Amino acid sequence: MTDSLANFIFAKHKDIDGGELYAKLREKGILVRHFNKDRISQYNRITVGSIEQMKALIKAISNILEEKKMKKMKMMMTRIYHLGKMMTMILLNLRPL
């Protein structure tokens, strides 16, 4: 996050792309400003609102990050499952000499 003397912050998150976060927040009805320019594409401009609005923003970002984490874990588990199936097929096809 950069220092700010205005009513907004210019922030990025280490675990999610700026454009992806912008899109996910928009889906949840929370509007922030995203600039699709090389130097600042990872950042979003977030206007400071009421306490209720800031709580809603924090909750939405937390949910988005949790969803992303769960999706990644599900993909990993799927890969492990398929690897296990392949290993089982290989082992079943092995015959003693």
Side-chain angles (χ1 to χ4, degrees):
M1 180 170 27
T2 60
D3 290 338
S4 180
L5 299 174
N7 68 336
F8 64 87
I9 57 173
F10 205 53
K12 69 177 181 173
H13 195 282
K14 65 181 177 70
D15 295 332
I16 191 167
D17 175 76
E20 182 182 356
L21 181 58
Y22 163 77
K24 296 285 186 182
L25 286 170
R26 188 174 177 92
E27 287 173 10
K28 295 180 181 298
I30 297 177
L31 302 178
V32 298
R33 185 88 188 266
H34 181 73
F35 302 91
N36 197 17
K37 300 195 183 293
D38 288 340
R39 290 185 56 203
I40 59 174
S41 65
Q42 292 305 311
Y43 288 85
N44 285 297
R45 181 181 181 264
I46 303 168
T47 301
V48 177
S50 68
I51 296 294
E52 293 80 22
Q53 290 169 327
M54 294 294 93
K55 285 181 180 178
L57 172 69
I58 291 167
K59 183 177 179 180
I61 291 173
S62 295
N63 289 342
I64 290 165
L65 292 172
E66 186 63 28
E67 290 166 8
K68 185 175 176 75
K69 180 179 168 184
M70 294 304 291
K71 184 176 179 181
K72 188 174 182 180
M73 286 179 68
K74 185 177 178 182
M75 285 174 45
M76 253 179 28
M77 294 303 293
T78 300
R79 288 180 183 156
I80 290 169
Y81 170 76
H82 288 295
L83 180 60
K85 279 181 68 174
M86 286 177 17
M87 292 300 294
T88 300
M89 289 172 63
I90 290 169
L91 291 172
L92 288 176
N93 286 321
L94 292 178
R95 295 189 180 101
L97 297 174

